Amino acid sequence: MNTDKNNIENMPDLSVEIGGVRLQNPVMTASGTFGSGMEYSDFVDLSKLGAVVTKGVSAVPWEGNPTPRVAETPSGMLNAIGLQNPGVEVFCERDLAFLSNYRTKAAADAVGDGPRVIVNVCGHTVEEYLEVVERLSDEPVDLLEINVSCPNVKAGAIQFGQNADSLMDVTQRIKRIAKQPVIMKLTPNVTDIAEMARAAEAGGADAVSLINTLLGMKIDVERRTFVLANRTGGLSGPAIRPVAVRMVYQAAQAVKIPVIGMGGIGSAEDALEFILAGATAVAVGCMTFHEPATAVSVIDGMKDYMIRHGIERISDLTGAVR
Ligand SMILES: Cc1cc2nc3c(=O)[nH]c(=O)nc-3n(C[C@H](O)[C@H](O)[C@H](O)COP(=O)(O)O)c2cc1C
């Protein structure tokens, strides 16, 4: 660590590397909470982000679950969207076209490397995942994030992520055909997160990201019914942060590949907790609903922290608390 604050005042190095891809800083959007950035681009300077992680994309359009499918909870929310999306063809024409133009503009304006594009992939069967991965192989996509952890989809999806052998198998099969580096997104709804992280690594994953939402339920006492039409939903937000930090710590202790941490991040301090616990990068999820530019203020706050503490490289902080 460099303690000469004057040296780094202008230039703390926030860049990190995941699967051989350099990100200008370690802050990304969490899948499903930022669309593909289009809806947010009037309010948030996307060029400042480390990466935009898209909402889950499947081989064919998915309708999602019936409403109501979101509910407020103490310090968080439940969702049971069910991975509604227009399918990979529309996604490539519309969302990827938008994101790649954006990256070109960022480079031309010399505002840094611009955000990396990470596409979140979902499916009911291994074949459906493979179809999307193959379709994306020649598209302007920097990394793939494979969602084997959605609690709101009945068939497939989470089942792969809750069994170490299946997780290793699906990782291997995806890695065999993927042209981009692969991040496996892990579910917290397991007994031993370290075992799942090891299984993804053994299958050849370039990184793991965690946590997806925790399975929850809310009941309307007056109406004596479930609040969500799906009955159960995924819990996210500050309420899950201590669980997420603990799991990121355990996963980072178990594997050598980079860990991307998320769960209730709303400030630089929150993000730094994950980094100190072992995360190489972090994602801001549903706190974006509260304040659209949360991810950008996390980046600014991180820079301030590094200057204040005389830290030259953000990567020096990864796993610094043991
Ligand atoms: C409304 C909503 C939609 C989500 N959609 C996806 C998705 O499509 N794919 C995925 O891997 N995770 C999805 N997630 C999970 C988030 O990416 C993240 O892992 C989780 O919400 C924890 O982070 P947070 O507490 O900061 O929101 C979704 C979360 C929310 C709240």
Side-chain angles (χ1 to χ4, degrees):
M1 278 182 207
N2 185 344
T3 49
D4 181 355
K5 292 188 185 182
N6 293 332
N7 255 357
I8 60 168
E9 196 104 349
N10 300 320
M11 290 291 267
D13 180 4
L14 273 94
S15 69
V16 294
E17 210 175 284
I18 295 174
V21 176
R22 185 178 162 276
L23 276 63
Q24 60 185 353
N25 65 63
V27 182
M28 50 185 81
T29 57
S31 177
T33 63
F34 204 71
S36 293
M38 278 183 285
E39 304 88 333
Y40 283 92
S41 56
D42 286 343
F43 313 104
V44 183
D45 186 354
L46 299 192
S47 69
K48 290 192 170 164
L49 301 173
V52 171
V53 182
T54 71
K55 183 169 172 44
V57 181
S58 52
V60 293
W62 284 10
E63 261 185 30
N65 290 326
T67 57
R69 50 189 191 176
V70 290
E72 259 187 73
T73 60
S75 295
M77 64 176 282
L78 283 170
N79 94 81
I81 305 293
L83 300 176
Q84 181 179 341
N85 79 94
V88 70
E89 285 309 324
V90 171
F91 173 81
C92 288
E93 277 163 36
R94 189 190 64 187
D95 302 49
L96 281 184
F98 166 80
L99 282 170
S100 42
N101 279 337
Y102 211 88
R103 289 179 67 208
T104 314
K105 181 181 177 309
D109 291 350
V111 289
D113 291 346
R116 295 299 182 184
V117 174
I118 304 182
V119 176
N120 184 280
V121 178
C122 55
H124 294 112
T125 61
V126 180
E127 288 67 30
E128 283 181 25
Y129 284 100
L130 295 177
E131 204 179 320
V132 181
V133 167
E134 195 149 39
R135 175 65 186 81
L136 293 172
S137 53
D138 295 322
E139 295 292 335
V141 172
D142 296 301
L143 292 137
L144 301 170
E145 181 179 58
I146 310 298
N147 178 7
V148 282
S149 49
C150 180
N152 304 321
V153 175
K154 299 255 165 359
I158 196 165
Q159 275 100 320
F160 300 118
Q162 284 179 322
N163 176 288
D165 291 337
S166 313
L167 178 60
M168 190 172 86
D169 181 60
V170 73
T171 310
Q172 270 171 344
R173 292 179 65 185
I174 288 168
K175 274 298 290 179
R176 234 172 265 149
I177 64 153
K179 294 260 178 68
Q180 295 93 348
V182 170
I183 304 162
M184 296 304 287
K185 183 158 179 182
L186 305 181
T187 175
N189 302 305
V190 294
T191 311
D192 184 355
I193 195 71
E195 184 193 9
M196 305 312 290
R198 274 193 294 265
E201 184 179 50
D206 298 280
V208 288
S209 58
L210 64 154
I211 61 176
N212 207 317
T213 53
L214 278 156
L215 192 60
M217 179 183 277
K218 185 173 179 177
I219 289 178
D220 184 330
V221 173
E222 287 305 320
R223 292 169 53 234
R224 294 183 210 159
T225 183
F226 303 101
V227 170
L228 298 174
N230 192 54
R231 300 188 176 193
T232 58
L235 182 64
S236 58
I240 69 169
R241 196 167 58 237
V243 177
V245 172
R246 182 266 295 174
M247 287 193 159
V248 162
Y249 174 81
Q250 289 176 326
Q253 295 282 314
V255 296
K256 294 201 170 59
I257 52 177
V259 173
I260 301 165
M262 72 201 78
I265 295 176
S267 68
E269 192 182 342
D270 300 340
L272 286 159
E273 262 198 81
F274 282 88
I275 289 174
L276 291 168
T280 295
V282 293
V284 175
C286 66
M287 288 304 279
T288 293
F289 301 153
H290 182 66
E291 163 52 57
T294 301
V296 172
S297 58
V298 168
I299 298 164
D300 292 342
M302 229 177 230
K303 215 180 280 176
D304 288 348
Y305 175 91
M306 290 171 73
I307 292 168
R308 207 156 33 89
H309 288 267
I311 293 155
E312 201 176 347
R313 287 175 299 269
I314 193 72
S315 52
D316 289 340
L317 292 182
T318 293
V321 171
R322 281 162 202 280

